[in-house]
Amino acid sequence: MTWNYAYTPAIWPSVITILLLGGMSVYVWRRRSVPGALPLLAWSFFAALTLVGAALKAAAVDPPTKIASFLFRDMLLLPGITAATCFVLEYVWPGRWLTRRNLVLFSLPCLLAILFETTNGARVIWRQLEIGPDGAIVSHLAPAGILITVYGLGLFLVNLAALLWLFIRSPQHRWPVALMLFAQAVVRAPVLLELFHRSVLSPPIVDITSILVPWTAYSLALFGFRIFDPVAMARQTMIDQLSDGVLVLDRQGRVANLNPAAERVFQRPAGEIKGKPASAMLPAGIDDLLSGPGGGETELCLGDGSTPRWYTLTVSRLNDWRGQEVGRLLLFRDVTEQKMAQAKIVEQQRALAMLHEREQLARELHDSLGQVLGYAGFQLEAVQGRIQDGQAVISARQAGASEQADGAGLAEASADLAEAGSQLARLSSVVEEAHADVREHIHNLRLAPSDQRPFFATLQHYLDGFSQNYGIQTVLTVGPEISEGMFDPGAQMQLYRIIQEALSNARKHAGASRVQVAFEQQDGQVRITIQDNGRGFDPAAAAPGGQSGPGHFGLRFMRERAEALGGCLAVISQPGEGTRVVVEVPEKERHGDKGTGDRKPGDR
């Protein structure tokens, strides 16, 4: 048989569509590992052959050639529809519905249709197939052709049912499924009109529309929405499974989306939260954070009074590829358990600190007041003995002793009473010193740096109280480069105790009338100088093992505290020249108490 064709511009729509399908098929081939990509490639192959048949039909010049081209185009329609159905099944549930058995079952009707179309069996499909007076093909289906058409319609219903099932079951698939259903509606409308011979489009345009529109829509659903992209799926899964609440706000500050954890944060379903302003659901005072030019972080409390929950709120800008803001991302991290754990740790530390202070106070009372009271008791016994001896002499005189014995007794009684008076005077001085120690202990215990008490304000308050209690002028000087943040709470406590110890020494040992405390920065170090105008002493003699004996533990404890901060302590003094204590610690270092303990102020 000789087929005759002639060039006609009517072939170009089909040719251009074939080229578009070929180019897009290259893109699909490179991503063939995505579920549904291979059925999409098979569909594009049969669609391209169908368009080749349409182009041949348009270029045919004699009736036999037109009929042959028509049969070529017609036999590829069913394989194309079948490939589209395979794509939908694989897209809806990858690996579940498009099994090898189902693929074989889908292929059998296609093979039979191709067999009939390529042999004389075409008469089984077409009852009438001829060229009309106007040059158009007049066709009427035979029973087998009607059966194949019904089968193709059944495949369309399978596609529709599968897509509707996915639309209902999976919210994240609704937009791509809606796109595919819309494409099917666009395609079926001209096909139905063509069946009733009321088509408003030419047959070539109908062929192109019925192929290109659904194929493009399905490709966009597969690749444009990145449903099967593992990176996108991993991100979405991570957000859905994230224990932190996530809110996505639009430009107007309304909630556009949220994850399940956010529903638990606000204790409301997503339907009640979406579309509402985020500021209406959050505590007052964070509007600036939500609407400010940049992101930020804050801590807030949500929930009712019985079960409050604490969250760290992080706000981030969402910018498009042009750098323009399209919304905000709010991340709620539950820190309730951490705050409870921190509160428990703080409570434990506070209890340990109280226990430590009690033990320290017990040692100090034993070392100071205990010794003073013991000494006072010994002195009182001695005074009592002297008084009893004097009373015995007086009683003997009253009993009529001799004049000589009476004179000697009176002299001894006078000596006893004088010694008793001297001991009472010393006892009064010791009791006064013990009273001063008690007041200093009370003053030291009442004042200490803490989270609620800034370091320098607490130190100034202590110095003021020290001046009022002991009449010693104190001056605090803080350089402009010194700030509270240079010392952590542990370092503040260590420095505070060093200064207390130095002032106690100035009061008890130096006889000073003025003490100056200065903070300054020098060569990456923070230098603290405590200078008094007292009588001074020889540091060499005051060192352990020196001439003054093994005492003077106060200086050793001060030095241990400075070394615990990574610094050093120097004592500069001479008899009659006053004393200067210099402490140098690294700047901006984080220090912890190394366990030197709070020693009793007053021992050098």
Side-chain angles (χ1 to χ4, degrees), residues 315-329:
V315 181
S316 304
R317 288 167 51 101
L318 297 177
N319 298 329
D320 60 10
W321 61 274
R322 298 167 295 182
Q324 296 183 358
E325 182 178 349
V326 296
R328 297 280 174 124
L329 179 68

Side-chain angles (χ1 to χ4, degrees), residues 25-41 87 90 94-95 222-223 227-230 233:
S25 297
V26 173
Y27 177 87
V28 177
W29 173 256
R30 292 178 178 176
R31 290 157 180 79
R32 58 187 179 277
S33 60
V34 177
L38 292 179
L40 190 62
L41 283 172
F87 168 83
E90 185 69 4
L222 181 61
F223 299 108
I227 295 297
F228 296 111
D229 186 353
M233 294 179 65

Side-chain angles (χ1 to χ4, degrees), residues 16-25 27-28 39-41 43-44 47 51 84 87 91 175-184 186-187 207-226:
I16 293 174
T17 306
I18 292 172
L19 295 177
L20 288 175
L21 283 175
M24 290 188 290
S25 297
Y27 177 87
V28 177
L40 190 62
L41 283 172
W43 183 14
S44 63
L51 291 172
F87 168 83
Y91 182 87
W175 280 110
V177 169
L179 177 62
M180 289 189 283
L181 292 176
F182 175 76
Q184 288 290 346
V186 170
V187 169
D207 289 339
I208 294 173
T209 303
S210 62
I211 292 175
L212 191 60
V213 172
W215 195 94
T216 304
Y218 286 19
S219 299
L220 289 175
L222 181 61
F223 299 108
F225 289 88
R226 306 176 66 182

Side-chain angles (χ1 to χ4, degrees), residues 326-370:
V326 296
R328 297 280 174 124
L329 179 68
L330 275 58
L331 181 66
F332 296 83
R333 177 163 297 174
D334 194 335
V335 295
T336 305
E337 301 299 330
Q338 298 178 13
K339 290 187 71 68
M340 293 177 61
Q342 290 174 357
K344 186 176 181 180
I345 292 175
V346 170
E347 188 64 28
Q348 292 175 348
Q349 291 177 343
R350 188 174 299 168
L352 290 175
M354 292 176 59
L355 181 60
H356 176 73
E357 290 292 337
R358 289 177 180 176
E359 293 176 351
Q360 185 64 33
L361 182 60
R363 290 196 298 268
E364 292 179 355
L365 292 177
H366 175 268
D367 294 342
S368 58
L369 294 180

Side-chain angles (χ1 to χ4, degrees), residues 26 32-33 96 209 256 302 310 451 464 513 527-528 546 589:
V26 173
R32 58 187 179 277
S33 60
R96 178 67 178 270
T209 303
L302 299 175
W310 286 91
D451 296 338
D464 294 340
S513 61
R527 173 176 291 184
I528 303 97
E589 287 289 333

